[in-house]
Amino acid sequence: MKQLYLGGLIALLVSCKEQDLLLETEKEVLPMRVEASIAQDAKSARTAMSGENAISFSENDCIGLFVPWESTARKWTYNGTTWTSAQSVYWKDKENSYTFYAYYPGGEEVAVSVNSVPMPDLSSQEGTIAGLAKYDFLVASTIAKYSTTNNGTLSFTESDAFQHVLSRITFSFDKSSMDDAVQLQSIRLDSNALSANNTCNLTTKEISSITNSQHEILSNIVAEKSEMLVHPISNATVTLSVVYQINSANVTVSKEISNFSLQMGSRHTMSVKIEQGTLKISEATIAPWGEGSTLNDVTL
């Protein structure tokens, strides 16, 4: 009887060991891969740009990816061809569907909550198209299960591609009526409705201000143009200011603007006519980043 008992116990242990090996083998054959693109429809966003309409991720870009069975996001890095994580990520199983959330930029410190992802600080921007990548923020989500993927590839492409969260304003300046010695310096938006530091809820795309964040966003004026990224606001009161230099002295012109709105994923353009001591903003339009309300003409 002892021999039978010991034999049965050994068989049970062997069976459990074999089951563990099967589970481990099953895990090893379910590696997760990632593909990602930036939406090129009306709500598109961009990081690397080789022209006004070129939209793509660039080498060394990083995204943060939340998988539902892990507590924090994983950082994935793009080498120009493929996305890789520092540690291998595996699917939990083959048949169940899960919701995945991702964001750009991933950064060195990955987010710990899908409901509160830190966004880039918008307080001081370069004012150039190329410089937008440093301040941009994109989000994506998809529902997927291993059995319907391409070799375990989690795809953030097509209808699930990364989308723009911020609003983009393109300022074009005309100082033809002013002295040639006038040098444009910067443009600033200031409002209690604006904040420089924010977090984003990836499930709702809602943006929340970080306590005590700055309430102004500053952008350089480069070659009489300026590009600015701002979080969306609706019917707010803002102060728009432009700083220019003449005879080694800085001059600031400002005016409070009511009912100012910037919609998520939209690119707003404004032509700014600079006259002596005043500014006139006209030809305010919305370019095809997304639908949005036209900004009314404003004279400062």
Side-chain angles (χ1 to χ4, degrees):
M1 289 294 293
K2 283 185 177 181
Q3 290 178 339
L4 288 175
Y5 176 76
L6 289 174
L9 181 60
I10 292 172
L12 179 61
L13 291 174
V14 170
S15 175
C16 290
K17 185 64 176 178
E18 288 177 347
Q19 182 64 24
D20 289 342
L21 289 174
L22 285 173
L23 290 174
E24 183 64 25
T25 301
E26 182 74 359
K27 180 180 179 181
E28 289 176 357
V29 298
L30 298 179
M32 182 176 290
R33 299 173 178 84
V34 169
E35 63 179 1
S37 63
I38 300 173
Q40 300 190 37
D41 59 10
K43 294 184 181 297
S44 64
R46 61 198 70 191
T47 60
M49 284 165 283
S50 57
E52 187 65 18
N53 296 314
I55 304 170
S56 66
F57 282 111
S58 60
E59 188 174 356
N60 296 321
D61 272 347
C62 299
I63 61 174
L65 172 61
F66 282 97
V67 297
W69 51 87
E70 294 189 355
S71 58
T72 61
R74 286 286 191 101
K75 178 182 175 181
W76 292 71
T77 304
Y78 188 56
N79 65 7
T81 304
T82 58
W83 294 88
T84 57
S85 177
Q87 295 179 327
S88 296
V89 182
Y90 297 94
W91 289 81
K92 189 174 183 179
D93 54 62
K94 285 186 174 181
E95 297 303 326
N96 291 310
S97 294
Y98 298 97
T99 301
F100 303 86
Y101 295 97
Y103 62 94
Y104 167 90
E108 294 301 322
E109 297 293 331
V110 295
V112 298
S113 171
V114 71
N115 298 320
S116 183
V117 176
M119 300 175 67
D121 183 355
L122 300 174
S123 59
S124 182
Q125 301 181 37
E126 300 170 16
T128 63
I129 292 178
L132 289 183
K134 185 177 178 181
Y135 306 93
D136 211 352
F137 189 78
L138 317 176
V139 300
S141 64
T142 187
I143 300 174
K145 59 182 178 180
Y146 180 88
S147 60
T148 59
T149 64
N150 179 18
N151 198 27
T153 299
L154 186 62
S155 180
F156 294 103
T157 62
E158 298 180 353
S159 61
D160 295 328
F162 279 78
Q163 297 281 347
H164 197 38
V165 170
L166 298 172
S167 295
R168 174 183 169 189
I169 313 177
T170 301
F171 297 96
S172 178
F173 298 91
D174 177 7
K175 62 183 186 69
S176 59
S177 63
M178 300 187 73
D179 193 292
D180 290 339
V182 171
Q183 299 295 319
L184 299 175
Q185 301 294 315
S186 60
I187 187 165
R188 186 178 73 245
L189 289 179
D190 191 355
S191 171
N192 289 335
L194 293 173
S195 57
N197 299 321
N198 304 286
T199 62
C200 183
N201 184 327
L202 301 190
T203 65
T204 62
K205 296 185 182 178
E206 292 180 351
I207 297 174
S208 299
S209 300
I210 296 176
T211 303
N212 297 323
S213 66
Q214 299 180 47
H215 295 294
E216 63 179 33
I217 299 176
L218 178 71
S219 178
N220 291 332
I221 299 175
V222 181
E224 298 179 11
K225 289 193 69 175
S226 183
E227 298 284 349
M228 180 186 289
L229 290 175
V230 183
H231 78 257
I233 56 177
S234 178
N235 296 322
T237 298
V238 303
T239 299
L240 179 62
S241 304
V242 171
V243 178
Y244 63 88
Q245 187 180 79
I246 184 168
N247 298 327
S248 300
N250 284 344
V251 179
T252 302
V253 287
S254 303
K255 186 175 181 180
E256 189 176 85
I257 308 168
S258 60
N259 300 319
F260 193 81
S261 296
L262 296 170
Q263 294 196 353
M264 180 180 295
S266 295
R267 175 191 173 193
H268 307 255
T269 64
M270 283 196 273
S271 296
V272 182
K273 176 75 172 180
I274 300 182
E275 300 173 347
Q276 201 70 36
T278 64
L279 297 179
K280 181 180 290 184
I281 299 176
S282 60
E283 299 179 19
T285 60
I286 303 297
W289 258 30
E291 296 300 324
S293 57
T294 299
L295 300 177
N296 294 328
D297 293 356
V298 179
T299 300
L300 281 72

